[in-house]
Amino acid sequence: FFSALDTYHSWNAAPYEANPTAVPWDLEKRNSTDGRKRSLTSSLPHGEALTGVLRSPDFEFPGQLRFWLCGHDGFPEKPAGNLNLVRLRAAGSGEILAIATAPRHDVARPITWDFAGHQGKRVFVEAVDGDAGSAFAWIAFGDFEPRLPQLRPSEFSPRQMRNWLTAATDTAAVSCSLENPETCEPCQ
């Protein structure tokens, strides 16, 4: 159903296991070091205390991948917590091939992963906001090059998609129980 609404929806939102919260991910415009404003997927718009993981579908690594990254990983005067990051992982094994931690800056910076040895390998991108702090606890990323379909941002925010799915599931359960309470699986 949702793919019919949003042909680019492909990222999967999951809870951050150490501290699960509501889905934090949404789209936001951020300044970047090249002077442009970029639409990035961010964990900031709904509050810095939210945590979560966002995974792309698998794709063949093109040998080089560039994207924009900004955000924080704890208070500036303290050491980074290494909880907010974007990583490249091997599909299947989950092996971590590359990590870019939040640069501890509000302005997005370019990140380039250049690994010719991994060209053609099935991989996925995973963004993690594991910092439940009340300030300096967010990450934003996006605008990938090359522009692979699997790395396009959703036309609807991951949070909005999760809310729609929850509402649809709840509606189906209520409808089921009203129409056939004796055969409705959630009712038994």
Side-chain angles (χ1 to χ4, degrees):
F1 170 74
F2 290 119
S3 61
L5 289 175
D6 178 5
T7 58
Y8 301 128
H9 178 71
S10 54
W11 292 78
N12 181 34
Y16 179 67
E17 289 184 18
N19 185 19
T21 67
V23 175
W25 309 105
D26 214 330
L27 304 175
E28 110 174 287
K29 296 276 188 190
R30 302 295 309 181
N31 291 323
S32 56
T33 56
D34 65 357
R36 292 181 52 206
K37 271 201 176 289
R38 297 175 183 279
S39 182
L40 301 178
T41 301
S42 173
S43 65
L44 178 62
H46 300 285
E48 294 183 68
L50 297 180
T51 63
V53 177
L54 197 61
R55 292 183 184 103
S56 78
D58 298 353
F59 60 96
E60 285 190 19
F61 188 68
Q64 183 182 79
L65 191 63
R66 178 183 162 111
F67 62 98
W68 293 82
L69 180 65
C70 58
H72 295 275
D73 195 11
F75 284 90
E77 66 276 3
K78 295 187 177 177
N82 295 318
L83 297 172
N84 293 347
L85 50 91
V86 177
R87 53 190 170 202
L88 182 69
R89 301 186 80 159
S93 71
E95 174 189 2
I96 297 171
L97 305 174
I99 296 177
T101 57
R104 305 182 88 176
H105 206 284
D106 291 350
V107 177
R109 283 129 169 60
I111 303 293
T112 301
W113 289 331
D114 195 352
F115 303 110
H118 291 300
Q119 187 167 356
K121 188 175 200 171
R122 299 290 300 169
V123 298
F124 61 93
V125 171
E126 180 178 69
V128 178
D129 180 336
D131 189 337
S134 61
F136 298 98
W138 61 274
I139 189 165
F141 67 97
D143 207 3
F144 288 89
E145 294 173 12
R147 301 208 181 282
L148 303 172
Q150 298 90 337
L151 299 179
R152 283 182 148 166
S154 175
E155 292 196 18
F156 304 105
S157 78
R159 182 183 178 105
Q160 186 177 20
M161 295 296 281
R162 177 60 58 103
N163 290 346
W164 286 343
L165 183 59
T166 300
T169 303
D170 291 348
T171 300
V174 168
S175 175
C176 174
S177 66
L178 291 175
E179 292 175 19
N180 290 319
E182 63 280 345
T183 59
C184 180
E185 201 172 300
C187 297
Q188 297 191 15

